[in-house]
Amino acid sequence: RDFIAAVKALQQARLQVYVDTVFNHKDGGDETETFLAQLVDRHDRNKALSDWFDIKGWTHFNFPARGNVHSSMKWRWHHFDSLSYNENLPHRKDDVYVIKHKSFETAVSDEYGNYDYLMACDLESSNAEVDGELRWWGRWIVDTLGVDGFRIDAVKHIRRRYFCDWLNHLR
């Protein structure tokens, strides 16, 4: 409610409103989950440093205070392709893990071999549930608030074609 009221107040003052949008990652999950992942070289994400092993990641996002208001989606480990923290090895803060049966997105910056991963829990935008949630959210923002546009954070970490499809959906 505060966000909606703030946007409406800005619009009543005849200011344009752009929503800062983070589609690359989520951080601060509500619970941990255990799943298979592989450690990769932080400076060359295409280079595996381990076999697959169980890690415990903060990938379960329930949003308990929200209930199902604004969205009923509960994010789980399979909505992400990589992450940086393993609760089983809390002293290792600079690791990058790829989740089993996942891969880094293509058509992103080629820094570090592939710069899909930036931080925290990296969204897998090719996942149908993730794509659906991001489209639903964008449509809700446009329909509810009538904003003038979006500022997209960490854009070089997300496959280029995704934003063409997402923006066309909003048009």
Side-chain angles (χ1 to χ4, degrees):
R1 290 181 294 213
D2 291 344
F3 176 64
I4 294 170
V7 169
K8 296 298 180 189
L10 291 168
Q11 290 168 331
Q12 287 172 355
R14 298 183 187 263
L15 294 171
Q16 290 186 332
V17 177
Y18 290 80
V19 175
D20 193 27
T21 306
V22 180
F23 277 179
N24 181 278
H25 54 273
K26 286 193 164 307
D27 201 3
D30 299 304
E31 298 175 34
T32 60
E33 299 177 287
T34 300
F35 46 89
L36 287 171
Q38 182 178 57
L39 181 65
V40 297
D41 188 326
R42 184 170 199 73
H43 301 290
D44 180 359
R45 278 62 182 292
N46 297 317
K47 182 179 175 186
L49 297 178
S50 75
D51 288 328
W52 300 102
F53 65 101
D54 279 338
I55 71 168
K56 188 186 287 188
W58 288 92
T59 52
H60 191 165
F61 294 79
N62 286 324
F63 309 103
R66 176 181 78 188
N68 288 330
V69 175
H70 304 299
S71 174
S72 61
M73 182 159 168
K74 310 299 185 218
W75 294 73
R76 295 302 211 293
W77 68 268
H78 59 272
H79 295 124
F80 306 100
D81 55 29
S82 52
L83 69 158
S84 59
Y85 183 76
N86 178 1
E87 184 68 25
N88 293 330
L89 300 169
H91 61 285
R92 296 184 61 136
K93 306 242 187 255
D94 291 327
D95 287 343
V96 176
Y97 301 92
V98 174
I99 298 172
K100 183 142 183 158
H101 303 301
K102 307 287 183 161
S103 60
F104 291 118
E105 302 277 359
T106 58
V108 297
S109 171
D110 62 0
E111 292 175 65
Y112 301 112
N114 179 300
Y115 214 5
D116 172 21
Y117 175 80
L118 173 63
M119 62 185 292
C121 300
D122 190 75
L123 272 64
E124 183 185 18
S125 63
S126 60
N127 177 296
E129 290 176 312
V130 171
D131 178 54
E133 179 70 1
L134 299 180
R135 288 173 184 255
W136 180 90
W137 176 85
R139 180 88 265 141
W140 180 85
I141 289 289
V142 170
D143 292 347
T144 303
L145 301 175
V147 298
D148 297 286
F150 296 89
R151 179 215 167 255
I152 300 177
D153 184 69
V155 71
K156 75 178 183 178
H157 305 279
I158 302 164
R159 64 185 160 88
R160 294 174 191 97
R161 185 74 200 155
Y162 186 79
F163 291 109
C164 295
D165 295 341
W166 184 75
L167 291 168
N168 283 333
H169 168 77
L170 299 183
R171 288 187 181 113

